[in-house]
Amino acid sequence: QKDESAAASKKEEQEGKEREKREKEVKELQQKIEAQQQRQNELEAAASKELKEREKRDKDIKVLQDTIDAQLQQHGKETEEREKREKEMKKLLDKLTKQQQQQKDESAAASKKEEQEGKEREKREKEVKELQLKIEQLQNARKKEMDQLEQQRQKETEAAAVKEQKDREQGEKEVKEL
């Protein structure tokens, strides 16, 4: 009975140690699982943040693209107006050429009505001068408009480049932070 009791006590002690060992292993596994879960949550949060930032960058790019499209459309309208003015200028030039030719022909054909013709010639010369002045004004307006368009386009290109550079730096900064 003594031996059995000692053996039972020894067996119980052994089982107690094994149970403690198993409990310790279970505890360690639970800690590992919790640590992995924590890491998983951090990764998901980082991925979610990156996605939001990418969506924001995409949105910014779309806004920029829309702005550029609108400016291109405006530029198209301005080109149309410029072409219209150039047509008018061509008409005026044709008219001027025609009148100059007419003037040449008439002054070549001297006649008895020289005084009358002199008056008409003065009238036509006045018209020619007015036409030349109109053409000069149109050319000046056209040059001014072209200069303005070039300045505007240069400003917009610089602004877009600066914005893109800032966005890139911000993106790289955020990626580093992640």
Side-chain angles (χ1 to χ4, degrees):
Q1 197 178 350
K2 216 179 188 181
D3 292 345
E4 282 171 11
S5 165
S9 170
K10 194 175 183 183
K11 189 180 180 188
E12 215 174 279
E13 191 185 325
Q14 184 65 31
E15 283 174 357
K17 281 181 184 172
E18 284 174 14
R19 190 169 40 252
E20 277 178 30
K21 189 181 169 191
R22 275 195 304 278
E23 282 170 3
K24 191 180 171 189
E25 285 173 0
V26 166
K27 211 175 201 178
E28 284 172 359
L29 277 173
Q30 281 176 332
Q31 284 173 346
K32 275 186 186 175
I33 288 167
E34 280 171 17
Q36 282 180 339
Q37 190 64 49
Q38 178 68 27
R39 179 77 182 123
Q40 181 68 28
N41 291 346
E42 286 169 8
L43 286 172
E44 283 172 9
S48 170
K49 188 180 176 193
E50 171 66 23
L51 183 66
K52 279 179 188 165
E53 286 162 0
R54 191 177 311 131
E55 283 170 358
K56 186 187 180 296
R57 277 196 300 274
D58 289 349
K59 192 176 169 189
D60 289 347
I61 287 168
K62 192 190 180 316
V63 167
L64 200 63
Q65 188 62 50
D66 290 348
T67 305
I68 289 167
D69 289 346
Q71 285 165 354
L72 284 174
Q73 205 173 0
Q74 179 63 27
H75 177 62
K77 283 180 192 169
E78 287 163 359
T79 303
E80 232 174 84
E81 287 168 14
R82 190 169 54 251
E83 283 169 1
K84 191 178 165 188
R85 275 198 300 279
E86 281 170 3
K87 243 182 194 175
E88 283 173 26
M89 198 158 64
K90 192 189 179 307
K91 266 187 197 173
L92 286 172
L93 272 169
D94 290 348
K95 194 174 175 185
L96 174 67
T97 307
K98 197 176 172 186
Q99 285 193 343
Q100 283 173 332
Q101 187 58 46
Q102 202 178 345
Q103 198 179 337
K104 261 187 191 172
D105 296 347
E106 286 172 0
S107 57
S111 73
K112 291 169 188 173
K113 296 177 183 175
E114 203 173 299
E115 192 182 324
Q116 180 64 30
E117 284 177 359
K119 284 179 185 174
E120 285 175 16
R121 193 166 37 254
E122 275 177 24
K123 186 184 168 191
R124 273 194 301 282
E125 281 169 1
K126 190 181 172 189
E127 286 175 358
V128 166
K129 274 182 186 167
E130 284 170 1
L131 282 169
Q132 284 173 327
L133 190 68
K134 277 186 186 175
I135 287 167
E136 200 175 298
Q137 287 169 346
L138 277 170
Q139 284 173 333
N140 289 341
R142 180 174 169 228
K143 185 186 182 306
K144 190 177 174 185
E145 185 189 2
M146 292 297 279
D147 291 348
Q148 284 174 341
L149 271 175
E150 187 53 41
Q151 285 174 353
Q152 178 69 21
R153 202 172 10 257
Q154 213 168 344
K155 276 183 195 169
E156 288 162 3
T157 304
E158 285 168 7
V162 167
K163 174 138 177 49
E164 190 183 331
Q165 177 65 29
K166 280 185 183 172
D167 287 353
R168 192 178 312 116
E169 285 171 4
Q170 183 64 26
E172 287 169 0
K173 186 180 169 191
E174 289 166 358
V175 167
K176 276 183 189 172
E177 284 171 7
L178 280 179

